[in-house]
Amino acid sequence: MKVKLFFIALLPSLIFSEPIQPLPQNVNVDNNKAKLGKELFFDPILSVDNSVSCAMCHDLQNGGDDGLVASVGHKGQVGDINAPTVLNAVYNFRQFWNGRSKDLKEQAKGPIENPIEMGNTFENLISVLKNSTYKEKFDEVFEDGITEDNIADAIAEYEKTLITPNSAFDRYLNGDKKAITKDQKEGYEIFKEKGCIACHHGINVGGNLYNKFGVMEDAKSKREGLYEVTKEEQDRYYFKVPSLRNVDKTAPYLHDGRYDNLNDVVKFMARYQLGRTISEDEVHKVVQFLNSLSGELPKDIR
């Protein structure tokens, strides 16, 4: 009897649970580290020639990316992959499209020494920072002052704060059934019925697994995803599934930036990832649903 009653008590949560969860209102951070990290995030001093900052490729006012097919680094060099958004990146299970970094701290080190992006070395950067006002600031926050790990730690701590709660869809999930429109509700149902939800679920509506790019048909990707990290054949063309939060602000889309509007992306995903047909009306409603995933920017982001 106790087992039966326990199961009955669980029924409401089982019936009404959703595969997407709302973002929390805040995240726990070390405020002193985050303040220092914020200063570094916006400072081109991180690059070898003082020309590139984190914020140049991650415009927080415009989706957390740079709106380009591929980012431009120091000396005008152009990369070969679309910059992912930094907003809500703390909730991704790995960082970078190919998942080569396990967390934000590890990710923060990459662009600094990337020859196309910031073109610096930590040896040089640490020397430069020690001869600037940053020396005192680091000494106040870290016992061992300016180190490679501490630079990355501070930047990562600031990036943790870049969450965007209270989207219309979050409010809907939290009980406000009028927070989204009829088309958006229908779009969400289509999103689930077509199978999009298999990869885009959880708190970040993605960002929590790898999937092959071109499941049903060859999607002709020049980049090889996780294979670039592992060199294991079974990992070829597997990429970290991106978050769909604030996706209406992060064009162009996909790792190679091949589409500049969500309608085309939805059609592409239906065909190449799901092998499903999708009507123009269904595409419209799914896009309307995706538009409901944009939340509130953090206060005082600059």
Side-chain angles (χ1 to χ4, degrees):
M1 180 62 72
K2 288 183 179 179
V3 173
K4 185 175 181 180
L5 289 175
F6 177 68
F7 180 75
I8 292 172
L10 282 177
L11 279 177
S13 61
L14 291 172
I15 293 170
F16 296 108
S17 62
E18 291 288 352
I20 296 174
Q21 292 83 49
L23 283 171
Q25 296 294 312
N26 50 60
V27 61
N28 292 327
V29 297
D30 182 315
N31 289 326
N32 291 325
K33 283 186 185 180
K35 181 179 179 182
L36 176 58
K38 177 181 178 181
E39 190 169 350
L40 291 167
F41 186 90
F42 287 94
D43 197 335
I45 198 172
L46 296 181
S47 63
V48 68
D49 56 0
N50 282 286
S51 64
V52 180
S53 69
C54 303
M56 287 181 62
C57 293
H58 299 287
D59 183 351
L60 304 183
Q61 298 283 2
N62 292 289
D65 63 351
D66 57 13
L68 302 173
V69 170
S71 299
V72 179
H74 85 109
K75 294 185 177 180
Q77 297 178 92
V78 180
D80 63 351
I81 202 161
N82 185 250
T85 179
V86 72
L87 299 178
N88 305 303
V90 65
Y91 297 115
N92 291 334
F93 87 118
R94 303 286 293 185
Q95 305 298 328
F96 292 113
W97 282 100
N98 61 14
R100 65 185 180 273
S101 291
K102 64 182 180 181
D103 54 29
L104 287 175
K105 182 177 176 181
E106 193 172 285
Q107 183 277 329
K109 297 180 181 182
I112 292 172
E113 292 196 312
N114 186 303
I116 294 177
E117 296 179 47
M118 292 183 172
N120 213 341
T121 66
F122 273 101
E123 181 180 7
N124 178 67
L125 176 58
I126 290 168
S127 175
V128 170
L129 293 177
K130 284 183 175 179
N131 287 285
S132 72
T133 57
Y134 279 110
K135 183 181 186 309
E136 182 179 349
K137 294 172 183 178
F138 268 87
D139 288 342
E140 290 176 353
V141 176
F142 297 99
E143 288 186 3
D144 50 349
I146 301 175
T147 68
E148 177 178 334
D149 271 359
N150 292 346
I151 292 168
D153 192 16
I155 294 171
E157 200 70 8
Y158 171 60
E159 291 179 339
K160 289 178 186 177
T161 71
L162 302 177
I163 61 174
T164 59
N166 297 321
S167 69
F169 193 70
D170 283 341
R171 297 195 303 274
Y172 172 75
L173 291 175
N174 283 322
D176 182 0
K177 300 311 175 185
K178 295 183 179 180
I180 61 176
T181 68
K182 180 176 179 291
D183 276 358
Q184 288 170 334
K185 290 176 184 177
E186 292 180 8
Y188 178 44
E189 293 306 314
I190 295 166
F191 186 85
K192 290 188 288 186
E193 290 167 5
K194 294 291 183 181
C196 312
I197 201 72
C199 290
H200 294 285
H201 53 260
I203 196 170
N204 220 11
V205 200
N208 50 14
L209 74 160
Y210 297 110
N211 196 20
K212 185 178 181 181
F213 185 70
V215 174
M216 307 306 295
E217 296 183 41
D218 180 8
K220 303 190 184 304
S221 172
K222 294 180 180 179
R223 292 294 297 263
E224 296 179 305
L226 185 59
Y227 174 81
E228 298 165 357
V229 180
T230 67
K231 301 305 179 184
E232 297 287 341
E233 185 58 36
Q234 66 265 25
D235 294 332
R236 196 184 297 272
Y237 305 125
Y238 275 79
F239 293 84
K240 181 194 70 180
V241 174
S243 166
L244 296 183
R245 289 193 174 274
N246 309 294
V247 70
D248 64 331
K249 297 177 173 60
T250 60
Y253 300 106
L254 307 183
H255 67 274
D256 53 11
R258 66 177 69 183
Y259 294 116
D260 60 8
N261 69 83
L262 284 174
N263 287 57
D264 287 341
V265 177
V266 171
K267 293 175 185 177
F268 171 88
M269 298 299 285
R271 173 180 171 180
Y272 287 87
Q273 299 304 113
L274 301 171
R276 305 289 295 273
T277 58
I278 188 167
S279 69
E280 289 294 333
D281 181 63
E282 289 174 323
V283 169
H284 168 76
K285 288 175 179 175
V286 169
V287 170
Q288 290 302 302
F289 158 65
L290 295 177
N291 290 342
S292 76
L293 296 173
S294 290
E296 298 174 356
L297 289 171
K299 295 179 181 178
D300 190 29
I301 58 175
R302 185 65 174 97

